[in-house]
Structures are given as structure tokens and as C-alpha cells.
Amino acid sequence: MKVVEELRYLVLAIQREGNRLLAAELRPLGITPSQAEVLRVLRDHGPMTLNALGGLLVCETGNSPSRLVDRLVAQGLVKRGVDKVDRRYLTLSLTPQGRALHRRIITAENRLHRTMDDRLAGQALDETISTLRSLADAFPTGAALARRRGPELAHQEN
């Protein structure tokens, strides 16, 4: 097996296991990992337009996660409103129920992160993260993650 092939499969295996563990944590909340990501982005960066949201998501490719947002609106977790700057645009923001669920999502994510921290104890991660970031930044989802880090964090971390 080539080194880059093993890297690809290792990343896939870690992603699948991480998603499986997160899905199990989120299941009692009635939400999927993709829906949780939307709520996290809206809480951390919103309110915003659908296209802006799409540009920050890793779980969806493209700039229009409309079906995902439609489900969250139907659940009463996200609301659509008129943009204050340009009334031609709709903005998305969390409802009070969405903000309350967001706090529970953070708790679930923290449990997953503690599990990962325990398994990675003593490992030097800076070089690994730098390598993965170099590869991910070449793709749209990596660029979305870089935008979420923000310019101040992106500068500090590079």
C-alpha cells in the first residue's frame, strides 16, 4: 500500500468512527452530526445567508444546504428572517430552542473530544495537524474549515 493511500484510508477510518461516535452522542437529542454542524456554525458565526452558511460547512459540499436547513426550520431550531442590510436576502439564525439545543450539542461534542484526547495522550499533534491542514486546504471543505477558524486563528495556527 502506498503511503498516501494509507493516509487516505486512515483519514476515512477516523472520520467514520468519529462520526459514528458523535451520532451516538447526538441521537438522544434527535439530531444528526450534519444538523449539529449547522447549529454550531449559526451560533458561532450567524446570522447569515444560506450561501454564507454553505461556505462554512464541512458536512455539505456546495453553497446551498437548503434541504438540511429546511429540516431544522421545520423542527423549530432555525428561523429565516429578512437581512437587515439587503432586504432581498434571507438570513438564518437560531431560535431559542436552537440555542438551547446548541448547548447540549457542545456537551455531546466535548464527550467525544475527551475520548479522542484520552486516546491521543502523549502524541505530538502539531505536525500531524499541519500536514492534514495542508492537504485539506486544497479542497472546498478544507477551505470552509479554514474560514471557520477565522483570520486571527488561521494566522496563529500556520
Side-chain angles (χ1 to χ4, degrees):
M1 180 180 288
K2 295 178 182 177
V3 172
V4 294
E5 182 181 13
E6 183 177 9
L7 174 65
R8 181 172 65 94
Y9 280 113
L10 287 169
V11 168
L12 179 61
I14 293 164
Q15 185 277 330
R16 285 196 174 162
E17 286 304 311
N19 204 52
R20 184 186 62 75
L21 292 169
L22 182 58
E25 290 286 343
L26 296 173
R27 195 168 294 116
L29 305 179
I31 195 160
T32 67
S34 294
Q35 292 169 330
E37 184 181 355
V38 169
L39 296 179
R40 286 292 314 265
V41 169
L42 285 175
R43 178 68 173 100
D44 295 346
H45 302 279
M48 63 182 56
T49 65
L50 186 63
N51 281 345
L53 174 65
L56 294 175
L57 292 177
V58 175
C59 68
E60 291 271 326
T61 56
N63 284 350
S64 187
S66 55
R67 285 184 295 170
L68 189 53
V69 169
D70 287 345
R71 282 187 228 116
L72 294 169
V73 169
Q75 289 176 274
L77 301 170
V78 172
K79 65 180 175 181
R80 292 182 177 100
V82 177
D83 186 77
K84 293 175 183 171
V85 176
D86 189 338
R87 298 186 59 77
R88 294 175 295 172
Y89 292 101
L90 292 177
T91 58
L92 303 170
S93 60
L94 296 181
T95 64
Q97 297 91 336
R99 285 191 298 278
L101 184 57
H102 174 267
R103 288 187 290 278
R104 296 177 69 195
I105 290 167
I106 297 296
T107 301
E109 287 178 343
N110 285 339
R111 282 192 296 269
L112 172 62
H113 296 160
R114 279 192 301 278
T115 299
M116 293 173 68
D117 279 342
D118 291 346
R119 292 191 177 151
L120 294 170
Q123 298 292 319
L125 296 179
D126 291 342
E127 189 174 333
T128 302
I129 289 173
S130 180
T131 300
L132 291 172
R133 191 176 288 143
S134 294
L135 184 59
D137 284 351
F139 299 102
T141 52
L145 189 56
R147 285 189 291 275
R148 280 168 53 181
R149 282 195 306 267
E152 65 284 347
L153 288 177
H155 177 48
Q156 289 172 0
E157 294 173 348
N158 286 333

Short mmCIF file of all heavy atoms in Angstrom, two decimals, residues 11-55:
data_model
loop_
_atom_site.label_atom_id
_atom_site.label_comp_id
_atom_site.label_asym_id
_atom_site.label_seq_id
_atom_site.Cartn_x
_atom_site.Cartn_y
_atom_site.Cartn_z
N VAL A 11 -7.53 8.54 7.30
CA VAL A 11 -8.41 9.69 7.48
C VAL A 11 -9.87 9.26 7.37
O VAL A 11 -10.71 9.65 8.18
CB VAL A 11 -8.07 10.82 6.47
CG1 VAL A 11 -9.14 11.89 6.45
CG2 VAL A 11 -6.70 11.43 6.79
N LEU A 12 -10.17 8.42 6.39
CA LEU A 12 -11.53 7.92 6.22
C LEU A 12 -11.98 7.12 7.44
O LEU A 12 -13.09 7.31 7.94
CB LEU A 12 -11.63 7.06 4.96
CG LEU A 12 -12.99 6.44 4.66
CD1 LEU A 12 -14.06 7.51 4.47
CD2 LEU A 12 -12.89 5.54 3.43
N ALA A 13 -11.12 6.25 7.94
CA ALA A 13 -11.46 5.44 9.11
C ALA A 13 -11.71 6.31 10.34
O ALA A 13 -12.70 6.11 11.07
CB ALA A 13 -10.34 4.43 9.40
N ILE A 14 -10.86 7.29 10.55
CA ILE A 14 -11.02 8.18 11.70
C ILE A 14 -12.29 9.01 11.55
O ILE A 14 -13.05 9.18 12.51
CB ILE A 14 -9.78 9.08 11.86
CG1 ILE A 14 -8.58 8.23 12.25
CG2 ILE A 14 -10.03 10.18 12.89
CD1 ILE A 14 -7.25 8.94 12.06
N GLN A 15 -12.55 9.49 10.35
CA GLN A 15 -13.76 10.29 10.11
C GLN A 15 -15.01 9.45 10.36
O GLN A 15 -15.93 9.90 11.03
CB GLN A 15 -13.75 10.83 8.67
CG GLN A 15 -14.90 11.77 8.36
CD GLN A 15 -16.18 11.06 7.98
OE1 GLN A 15 -16.18 9.97 7.42
NE2 GLN A 15 -17.30 11.67 8.31
N ARG A 16 -15.03 8.24 9.86
CA ARG A 16 -16.21 7.39 10.04
C ARG A 16 -16.43 7.04 11.50
O ARG A 16 -17.56 7.08 11.99
CB ARG A 16 -16.09 6.13 9.20
CG ARG A 16 -16.33 6.42 7.74
CD ARG A 16 -16.60 5.18 6.97
NE ARG A 16 -16.96 5.56 5.61
CZ ARG A 16 -16.93 4.74 4.59
NH1 ARG A 16 -16.57 3.50 4.76
NH2 ARG A 16 -17.26 5.16 3.40
N GLU A 17 -15.36 6.70 12.20
CA GLU A 17 -15.51 6.37 13.62
C GLU A 17 -15.91 7.59 14.43
O GLU A 17 -16.77 7.52 15.31
CB GLU A 17 -14.22 5.75 14.17
CG GLU A 17 -14.00 4.34 13.72
CD GLU A 17 -15.16 3.41 14.06
OE1 GLU A 17 -15.63 3.40 15.22
OE2 GLU A 17 -15.62 2.69 13.16
N GLY A 18 -15.30 8.74 14.13
CA GLY A 18 -15.66 9.97 14.83
C GLY A 18 -17.12 10.32 14.58
O GLY A 18 -17.84 10.72 15.50
N ASN A 19 -17.57 10.18 13.35
CA ASN A 19 -18.96 10.49 13.01
C ASN A 19 -19.91 9.51 13.69
O ASN A 19 -20.96 9.89 14.18
CB ASN A 19 -19.16 10.48 11.50
CG ASN A 19 -20.34 11.31 11.08
OD1 ASN A 19 -20.46 12.47 11.45
ND2 ASN A 19 -21.22 10.71 10.29
N ARG A 20 -19.51 8.23 13.74
CA ARG A 20 -20.34 7.22 14.41
C ARG A 20 -20.47 7.54 15.90
O ARG A 20 -21.57 7.50 16.46
CB ARG A 20 -19.73 5.83 14.21
CG ARG A 20 -20.55 4.69 14.78
CD ARG A 20 -19.83 3.35 14.69
NE ARG A 20 -18.59 3.31 15.45
CZ ARG A 20 -18.52 3.22 16.78
NH1 ARG A 20 -19.61 3.16 17.51
NH2 ARG A 20 -17.34 3.18 17.39
N LEU A 21 -19.34 7.87 16.53
CA LEU A 21 -19.37 8.21 17.96
C LEU A 21 -20.19 9.48 18.21
O LEU A 21 -20.97 9.55 19.16
CB LEU A 21 -17.95 8.38 18.50
CG LEU A 21 -17.10 7.11 18.56
CD1 LEU A 21 -15.64 7.45 18.86
CD2 LEU A 21 -17.67 6.15 19.59
N LEU A 22 -20.01 10.49 17.36
CA LEU A 22 -20.78 11.72 17.53
C LEU A 22 -22.27 11.47 17.30
O LEU A 22 -23.11 11.96 18.05
CB LEU A 22 -20.27 12.82 16.60
CG LEU A 22 -20.96 14.17 16.73
CD1 LEU A 22 -20.84 14.72 18.15
CD2 LEU A 22 -20.39 15.15 15.71
N ALA A 23 -22.60 10.68 16.29
CA ALA A 23 -24.01 10.36 16.03
C ALA A 23 -24.64 9.68 17.24
O ALA A 23 -25.79 9.97 17.59
CB ALA A 23 -24.14 9.48 14.79
N ALA A 24 -23.90 8.80 17.88
CA ALA A 24 -24.42 8.12 19.08
C ALA A 24 -24.65 9.11 20.21
O ALA A 24 -25.65 9.01 20.94
CB ALA A 24 -23.46 7.02 19.52
N GLU A 25 -23.76 10.09 20.35
CA GLU A 25 -23.92 11.13 21.38
C GLU A 25 -25.12 12.02 21.08
O GLU A 25 -25.80 12.48 21.99
CB GLU A 25 -22.66 11.99 21.48
CG GLU A 25 -21.46 11.30 22.07
CD GLU A 25 -21.56 11.10 23.58
OE1 GLU A 25 -22.38 11.77 24.24
OE2 GLU A 25 -20.81 10.27 24.10
N LEU A 26 -25.37 12.29 19.79
CA LEU A 26 -26.43 13.22 19.39
C LEU A 26 -27.80 12.55 19.27
O LEU A 26 -28.82 13.25 19.31
CB LEU A 26 -26.07 13.89 18.07
CG LEU A 26 -24.83 14.79 18.08
CD1 LEU A 26 -24.49 15.24 16.67
CD2 LEU A 26 -25.03 15.98 19.01
N ARG A 27 -27.81 11.25 19.11
CA ARG A 27 -29.08 10.52 18.90
C ARG A 27 -30.13 10.86 19.96
O ARG A 27 -31.29 11.14 19.62
CB ARG A 27 -28.82 9.02 18.82
CG ARG A 27 -30.00 8.25 18.24
CD ARG A 27 -29.62 6.80 17.89
NE ARG A 27 -28.66 6.79 16.79
CZ ARG A 27 -27.40 6.33 16.88
NH1 ARG A 27 -26.95 5.82 18.01
NH2 ARG A 27 -26.60 6.36 15.83
N PRO A 28 -29.79 10.89 21.26
CA PRO A 28 -30.81 11.23 22.26
C PRO A 28 -31.34 12.67 22.09
O PRO A 28 -32.42 12.98 22.58
CB PRO A 28 -30.07 11.09 23.60
CG PRO A 28 -28.90 10.22 23.32
CD PRO A 28 -28.52 10.47 21.88
N LEU A 29 -30.60 13.52 21.40
CA LEU A 29 -31.05 14.90 21.17
C LEU A 29 -31.93 15.01 19.94
O LEU A 29 -32.48 16.08 19.65
CB LEU A 29 -29.84 15.83 21.02
CG LEU A 29 -28.81 15.81 22.15
CD1 LEU A 29 -27.67 16.77 21.84
CD2 LEU A 29 -29.46 16.14 23.47
N GLY A 30 -32.04 13.91 19.17
CA GLY A 30 -32.87 13.92 17.97
C GLY A 30 -32.27 14.70 16.82
O GLY A 30 -33.00 15.28 16.01
N ILE A 31 -30.96 14.70 16.72
CA ILE A 31 -30.28 15.49 15.71
C ILE A 31 -29.11 14.70 15.14
O ILE A 31 -28.53 13.86 15.82
CB ILE A 31 -29.83 16.84 16.30
CG1 ILE A 31 -29.48 17.82 15.22
CG2 ILE A 31 -28.73 16.67 17.31
CD1 ILE A 31 -29.51 19.25 15.72
N THR A 32 -28.78 14.97 13.87
CA THR A 32 -27.66 14.29 13.21
C THR A 32 -26.39 15.14 13.33
O THR A 32 -26.47 16.34 13.62
CB THR A 32 -27.97 14.09 11.72
OG1 THR A 32 -28.01 15.37 11.08
CG2 THR A 32 -29.28 13.33 11.51
N PRO A 33 -25.22 14.55 13.07
CA PRO A 33 -24.00 15.34 13.08
C PRO A 33 -24.03 16.51 12.09
O PRO A 33 -23.55 17.60 12.40
CB PRO A 33 -22.91 14.33 12.71
CG PRO A 33 -23.43 13.04 13.27
CD PRO A 33 -24.92 13.10 13.00
N SER A 34 -24.62 16.32 10.92
CA SER A 34 -24.71 17.42 9.95
C SER A 34 -25.60 18.54 10.47
O SER A 34 -25.27 19.73 10.32
CB SER A 34 -25.26 16.91 8.61
OG SER A 34 -24.35 16.01 8.01
N GLN A 35 -26.72 18.19 11.06
CA GLN A 35 -27.60 19.20 11.63
C GLN A 35 -26.91 19.93 12.78
O GLN A 35 -27.03 21.14 12.92
CB GLN A 35 -28.91 18.57 12.11
CG GLN A 35 -29.77 18.07 10.97
CD GLN A 35 -30.93 17.21 11.46
OE1 GLN A 35 -30.84 16.54 12.49
NE2 GLN A 35 -32.01 17.23 10.71
N ALA A 36 -26.16 19.18 13.59
CA ALA A 36 -25.42 19.80 14.69
C ALA A 36 -24.39 20.79 14.16
O ALA A 36 -24.19 21.86 14.75
CB ALA A 36 -24.74 18.72 15.54
N GLU A 37 -23.74 20.45 13.06
CA GLU A 37 -22.76 21.36 12.48
C GLU A 37 -23.42 22.66 12.03
O GLU A 37 -22.88 23.75 12.26
CB GLU A 37 -22.03 20.71 11.30
CG GLU A 37 -20.94 21.61 10.74
CD GLU A 37 -20.20 21.03 9.56
OE1 GLU A 37 -20.44 19.87 9.16
OE2 GLU A 37 -19.36 21.78 8.99
N VAL A 38 -24.59 22.58 11.43
CA VAL A 38 -25.30 23.79 11.02
C VAL A 38 -25.60 24.66 12.24
O VAL A 38 -25.37 25.88 12.22
CB VAL A 38 -26.61 23.45 10.27
CG1 VAL A 38 -27.49 24.68 10.09
CG2 VAL A 38 -26.30 22.81 8.92
N LEU A 39 -26.09 24.05 13.31
CA LEU A 39 -26.41 24.82 14.51
C LEU A 39 -25.15 25.45 15.10
O LEU A 39 -25.17 26.60 15.56
CB LEU A 39 -27.11 23.94 15.54
CG LEU A 39 -28.49 23.40 15.11
CD1 LEU A 39 -29.09 22.53 16.20
CD2 LEU A 39 -29.44 24.50 14.72
N ARG A 40 -24.04 24.70 15.10
CA ARG A 40 -22.77 25.25 15.62
C ARG A 40 -22.32 26.44 14.79
O ARG A 40 -21.92 27.47 15.34
CB ARG A 40 -21.65 24.19 15.58
CG ARG A 40 -21.70 23.10 16.59
CD ARG A 40 -21.44 23.57 18.02
NE ARG A 40 -20.30 24.45 18.19
CZ ARG A 40 -19.08 24.08 18.53
NH1 ARG A 40 -18.80 22.81 18.72
NH2 ARG A 40 -18.12 24.96 18.70
N VAL A 41 -22.38 26.32 13.48
CA VAL A 41 -21.93 27.43 12.62
C VAL A 41 -22.83 28.64 12.80
O VAL A 41 -22.33 29.77 12.91
CB VAL A 41 -21.87 26.98 11.14
CG1 VAL A 41 -21.67 28.17 10.21
CG2 VAL A 41 -20.74 25.96 10.94
N LEU A 42 -24.13 28.43 12.85
CA LEU A 42 -25.04 29.57 13.05
C LEU A 42 -24.82 30.22 14.40
O LEU A 42 -24.87 31.44 14.53
CB LEU A 42 -26.50 29.13 12.90
CG LEU A 42 -26.95 28.86 11.47
CD1 LEU A 42 -28.38 28.33 11.46
CD2 LEU A 42 -26.84 30.11 10.61
N ARG A 43 -24.56 29.43 15.43
CA ARG A 43 -24.31 30.01 16.76
C ARG A 43 -22.98 30.75 16.80
O ARG A 43 -22.86 31.81 17.37
CB ARG A 43 -24.33 28.89 17.81
CG ARG A 43 -24.03 29.37 19.21
CD ARG A 43 -25.17 30.24 19.73
NE ARG A 43 -24.98 30.56 21.12
CZ ARG A 43 -24.48 31.72 21.55
NH1 ARG A 43 -24.15 32.66 20.71
NH2 ARG A 43 -24.35 31.93 22.83
N ASP A 44 -21.96 30.19 16.15
CA ASP A 44 -20.63 30.78 16.20
C ASP A 44 -20.44 31.94 15.22
O ASP A 44 -19.64 32.83 15.48
CB ASP A 44 -19.56 29.72 15.93
CG ASP A 44 -19.50 28.64 17.00
OD1 ASP A 44 -20.08 28.85 18.09
OD2 ASP A 44 -18.89 27.59 16.75
N HIS A 45 -21.16 31.92 14.08
CA HIS A 45 -20.91 32.90 13.01
C HIS A 45 -22.15 33.62 12.50
O HIS A 45 -22.02 34.52 11.68
CB HIS A 45 -20.23 32.20 11.82
CG HIS A 45 -18.96 31.53 12.17
ND1 HIS A 45 -17.77 32.20 12.29
CD2 HIS A 45 -18.68 30.22 12.45
CE1 HIS A 45 -16.80 31.35 12.62
NE2 HIS A 45 -17.34 30.15 12.74
N GLY A 46 -23.34 33.20 12.93
CA GLY A 46 -24.57 33.74 12.37
C GLY A 46 -24.98 35.05 12.99
O GLY A 46 -24.27 35.56 13.84
N PRO A 47 -26.12 35.60 12.59
CA PRO A 47 -26.98 35.16 11.49
C PRO A 47 -26.28 35.34 10.14
O PRO A 47 -25.38 36.17 10.00
CB PRO A 47 -28.20 36.06 11.59
CG PRO A 47 -27.94 37.05 12.66
CD PRO A 47 -26.62 36.78 13.27
N MET A 48 -26.74 34.55 9.17
CA MET A 48 -26.11 34.60 7.85
C MET A 48 -27.06 34.07 6.80
O MET A 48 -28.07 33.45 7.11
CB MET A 48 -24.82 33.79 7.85
CG MET A 48 -25.02 32.32 8.11
SD MET A 48 -23.48 31.36 8.16
CE MET A 48 -22.57 32.20 9.41
N THR A 49 -26.68 34.34 5.55
CA THR A 49 -27.47 33.85 4.42
C THR A 49 -27.20 32.36 4.22
O THR A 49 -26.22 31.81 4.74
CB THR A 49 -27.12 34.59 3.12
OG1 THR A 49 -25.76 34.29 2.79
CG2 THR A 49 -27.33 36.10 3.26
N LEU A 50 -28.05 31.74 3.45
CA LEU A 50 -27.89 30.32 3.13
C LEU A 50 -26.56 30.08 2.42
O LEU A 50 -25.84 29.12 2.75
CB LEU A 50 -29.06 29.85 2.26
CG LEU A 50 -29.12 28.36 1.95
CD1 LEU A 50 -29.30 27.54 3.22
CD2 LEU A 50 -30.26 28.09 0.98
N ASN A 51 -26.20 30.94 1.48
CA ASN A 51 -24.93 30.77 0.77
C ASN A 51 -23.74 30.93 1.70
O ASN A 51 -22.76 30.19 1.60
CB ASN A 51 -24.81 31.75 -0.40
CG ASN A 51 -25.61 31.28 -1.60
OD1 ASN A 51 -26.01 30.13 -1.68
ND2 ASN A 51 -25.84 32.17 -2.53
N ALA A 52 -23.80 31.90 2.61
CA ALA A 52 -22.71 32.09 3.57
C ALA A 52 -22.58 30.86 4.46
O ALA A 52 -21.47 30.40 4.74
CB ALA A 52 -22.94 33.35 4.39
N LEU A 53 -23.70 30.31 4.91
CA LEU A 53 -23.68 29.10 5.71
C LEU A 53 -23.03 27.96 4.93
O LEU A 53 -22.15 27.28 5.44
CB LEU A 53 -25.11 28.71 6.13
CG LEU A 53 -25.26 27.38 6.85
CD1 LEU A 53 -24.56 27.42 8.21
CD2 LEU A 53 -26.74 27.04 7.01
N GLY A 54 -23.45 27.79 3.68
CA GLY A 54 -22.88 26.73 2.84
C GLY A 54 -21.37 26.85 2.70
O GLY A 54 -20.67 25.84 2.62
N GLY A 55 -20.87 28.07 2.70
CA GLY A 55 -19.44 28.29 2.58
C GLY A 55 -18.64 27.96 3.83
O GLY A 55 -17.41 27.96 3.79
#
